Amino acid sequence: MKSLTLEAKPARRFSLGYLDGQLVAILVILATLIVVSSILSPTFSTPQNLANVTRQAVALGIVAVGQTFVILTAGIDLSVGSTISLTSVLAAGLMAGVPERQIPVVVGILLLGGAIGLFNGLVIMRLRVAPFIVTLGTMSIIQGVVFLYTKNPVGKIPISFRYLAEGDLGPIPFPVLLYGVLVVVSVFVLRRTTFGRYIYATGGNEEVARLSGINTSFVTVAVYVVCGLSAAATGLFLTSRLRIGQPLIGQGYELDSITAVLIGGTVLAGGRGGVVGTVAGVLIMTVLSNILNLMEVTSYWQWVIKGLIIISALAVYRGNR
Amino acid sequence: MQTETITVDVGQQVIAARDRAERIKKMLRGSAIYLILAALIVVAAIASPVFLRARNITNLLKQASLLGVVSVGQTFVILIGGIDLSVASVMALMSVLAANLMGGQDGLVLPVVLLCLGIATGIGLVNGLMVTQLKIPAFIATLGTILIVQGIRFVYTGGAPKGSIPEGLRFWGRGDIGGIPTALIVWVVVIVAAVLLLRQTTFGRRLYAVGGNPTTSHLSGVSVNTIIISAYMICSFLAGVAGLLLTGYIGLADNWLGRGYELDSIAAVVVGGTLLEGGRGSVLGSAAGVLIMVILFNLVLLLNLDEETQRIIKGLVIIGALALYARLQNRAS
């Protein structure tokens, strides 16, 4: 018994130490970015701009949580962008400005997102093929469906639905609060529940996890359902913010969410990382865009700078290992 | 004693039968894509009388050639277990460079083409170095390349591409030699060269080996990094060739030329039977994959369906092909 505890302790300390070290590095980068930004532009630290930045971060932040779950199992979900577009046009189209329809439409949209995730997960699990190519297929199908439904901005939201994106609860923007709750729940699920442990185990080594009695098929399907749900939630949030359904609103969210997750220190090969890192990754990307806009850097140079930062961030993480 | 012999016999028969079944499945897996292509051509000819007309076939092959050249390069990268998302960005760079530097002068076609292809290959070198030296996953490294090349392109053009495309380059995109589209000739030459390179040279064998198992290859004395970097350079070079052909085809500079080719080329390669995990697949399979996708797109137009149906069909073809390969694979093993 004694030797057992002795063996268990260093292993535990090592894993915690690893997570903290990585996380500290990411948080330091974020803090530096914020400090530098407030020195470079006096507008940056005004309450109005900060509220703006956080609201922008929420849209990417929600879907990045789902993407984190998927990448932790060594998967990837390219279909989130078109799912966001689909949920946006359907939500605005179906609500059509009628307040009574809000709740049924929101429930229906979330179920739809979950169903898309379920489809992705089942195909990946049954066919045992690369998630990249499966979700590339669903991405194409969903975007096609969106365009068959509408090629132009569509629908209308009831005024009360604006609260989702624009409301305040006391001093805190409502969407930020919602995102906060989502992050806390996700961190709890990943760190404190068996399901969370199973996700890390499946991503670390699926074969070993399966032989240890973990139902890896269930885990695989479940993370894609979570991801589909989170994409639908981002779709609803963006619809509330734009007050209309846009058939191309989700374009780019697939790559941005993956980038945020990777900048946040989660490994593309699975098994290592977490939601807190992703939150930092999302904030790094949003703050960066914001400060470059405030300094009136053209979008051309913004692309170059973002590309360089993505590459150097990943190079640094790899170098540390 | 007797029972034992019988068991052995039955066992051997079972093994022999399984061997046979395995061989058939293997053959099916190898040729399934060509059978599907043949069936699709028959169906297309029945579905639309216009399909087999010379003019339609020529147009179709011109389109297929452009995606086809990119897909050959993408096959090399996927065979070594990588992926290259930056091909479309490279194609658009070729477009704005060619238009600006050639300025419509035929005399400048050759030097500018050489310069452009040099730049394209250089981008491939950078991709390869990021993957091998900085150990960045190919997905995110080439995503970074997209952003950087895109930014440079827009800084270079100031958002509005200048210059014009001389006849000399237009010929390569839309001309023909004795009725055969020049772009198709380029595609065929590229395919033949790639097949020879992969099947007849040490480099080709090593490429498959690295994709199959990089550690074993390294331990067998293969310079894994050189092979990986070469694959990315070949891919970017061919993206450059396709970019120049497409520029000649449409005849003007476009900052977003080739948009969508990155994912379409990956889809064509996978539909053609190359494994995304690397180590298995072929250039001929990718060519069949390209033809299947282009014929389906063509049918959508000929049958007067909404153009966006193409996206749905593309997705269904990808997932359908994966399902088919998974079935053949499971039965074989």
Side-chain angles (χ1 to χ4, degrees), chain A residues 6 16 28 31 37 68 81 85 88 93 95 112 119 138 142 147-148 150 168 191 212 229-230 237 248 259 273 313:
Chain A
L6 274 177
L16 276 175
V28 167
S37 299
T68 310
S85 300
S88 164
M95 279 183 198
L112 177 68
F119 177 80
T138 37
I142 296 167
F147 280 133
L148 286 183
T150 178
D168 288 297
R191 290 212 183 151
S212 320
L229 277 171
S230 74
F237 171 77
L248 275 172
T259 308

Side-chain angles (χ1 to χ4, degrees), chain B residues 6-238:
Chain B
I6 289 167
T7 347
V8 169
D9 276 345
V10 171
Q12 275 170 349
Q13 271 173 5
V14 168
I15 289 171
R18 202 190 293 154
D19 271 357
R20 221 175 304 130
E22 209 169 293
R23 238 177 292 135
I24 292 169
K25 291 297 166 201
K26 224 177 195 173
M27 223 172 64
L28 255 182
R29 190 187 149 82
S31 56
I33 186 74
Y34 308 109
L35 295 177
I36 292 172
L37 176 59
L40 181 63
I41 291 173
V42 173
V43 171
I46 295 169
S48 166
V50 187
F51 179 76
L52 282 182
R53 287 208 188 132
R55 213 177 139 166
N56 186 54
I57 292 286
T58 318
N59 266 333
L60 193 150
L61 286 174
K62 272 183 198 167
Q63 283 166 24
S65 306
L66 300 167
L67 179 59
V69 171
V70 183
S71 301
V72 171
Q74 193 71 261
T75 310
F76 275 84
V77 169
I78 294 183
L79 275 178
I80 53 115
I83 203 157
D84 188 351
L85 296 179
S86 69
V87 286
S89 217
V90 170
M91 290 174 75
L93 180 67
M94 297 297 104
S95 169
V96 297
L97 279 179
N100 200 15
L101 296 176
M102 288 178 191
Q105 289 170 271
D106 274 326
L108 288 176
V109 170
L110 185 65
V112 173
V113 162
L114 291 178
L115 176 73
C116 282
L117 293 179
I119 292 174
T121 316
I123 294 172
L125 174 66
V126 173
N127 283 337
L129 287 174
M130 285 194 289
V131 171
T132 54
Q133 305 305 313
L134 300 179
K135 311 257 180 248
I136 303 173
F139 179 88
I140 201 83
T142 53
L143 184 62
T145 308
I146 292 183
L147 289 171
I148 296 171
V149 172
Q150 182 175 312
I152 291 173
R153 215 166 58 218
F154 276 81
V155 169
Y156 176 71
T157 58
K162 288 174 280 288
S164 67
I165 311 297
E167 268 313 307
L169 187 62
R170 299 214 69 184
F171 170 74
W172 285 97
R174 41 186 265 162
D176 58 83
I177 299 173
I180 303 167
T182 37
L184 177 63
I185 297 175
V186 173
W187 186 27
V188 171
V189 169
V190 167
I191 289 177
V192 171
V195 169
L196 287 178
L197 190 62
L198 284 175
R199 290 208 185 149
Q200 305 293 331
T201 67
T202 331
F203 172 78
R205 274 165 217 291
R206 287 184 174 163
L207 204 112
Y208 278 98
V210 167
N213 192 330
T215 317
T216 313
S217 312
H218 174 70
L219 294 175
S220 325
V222 175
S223 170
V224 174
N225 286 352
T226 314
I227 302 283
I228 292 178
I229 293 171
S230 314
Y232 282 98
M233 287 172 75
I234 291 171
C235 185
S236 281
F237 170 81
L238 290 177

Side-chain angles (χ1 to χ4, degrees), chain A residues 127 130 132-133 136-137 139-141 147-148 151 255 258-259 262 268 300-301 303-304 308 310-311 318, chain B residues 83 130 134-137 139-140 143 147-148 150-151 154-155 159 263 270 276 306 308 311-312 315 318 322:
Chain A
L127 300 185
F132 180 91
I133 198 78
L136 177 64
M139 162 185 158
S140 192
I141 295 174
F147 280 133
L148 286 183
K151 291 189 178 67
L255 296 181
I258 295 165
T259 308
L262 298 184
L268 202 54
Y300 312 159
W301 283 110
W303 287 327
V304 176
L308 288 173
I310 291 171
I311 290 170
R318 287 281 153 151
Chain B
I83 203 157
M130 285 194 289
L134 300 179
K135 311 257 180 248
I136 303 173
F139 179 88
I140 201 83
L143 184 62
L147 289 171
I148 296 171
Q150 182 175 312
F154 276 81
V155 169
L263 297 180
V270 172
L276 206 57
D306 191 313
E308 301 302 338
R311 291 176 191 265
I312 299 179
I318 294 172
L322 291 177

Side-chain angles (χ1 to χ4, degrees), chain A residues 223-260:
Chain A
V223 291
Y224 285 94
V225 172
V226 170
C227 195
L229 277 171
S230 74
T234 292
L236 288 170
F237 171 77
L238 285 172
T239 313
S240 165
R241 212 173 106 190
L242 296 173
R243 304 171 186 183
I244 199 164
Q246 285 265 21
L248 275 172
I249 186 69
Q251 207 178 37
Y253 273 94
E254 59 280 29
L255 296 181
D256 281 352
S257 62
I258 295 165
T259 308

Side-chain angles (χ1 to χ4, degrees), chain A residues 25 29 310-321, chain B residues 134 136:
Chain A
I29 295 174
I310 291 171
I311 290 170
S312 39
L314 269 287
V316 168
Y317 295 161
R318 287 281 153 151
N320 276 344
R321 231 156 269 148
Chain B
L134 300 179
I136 303 173

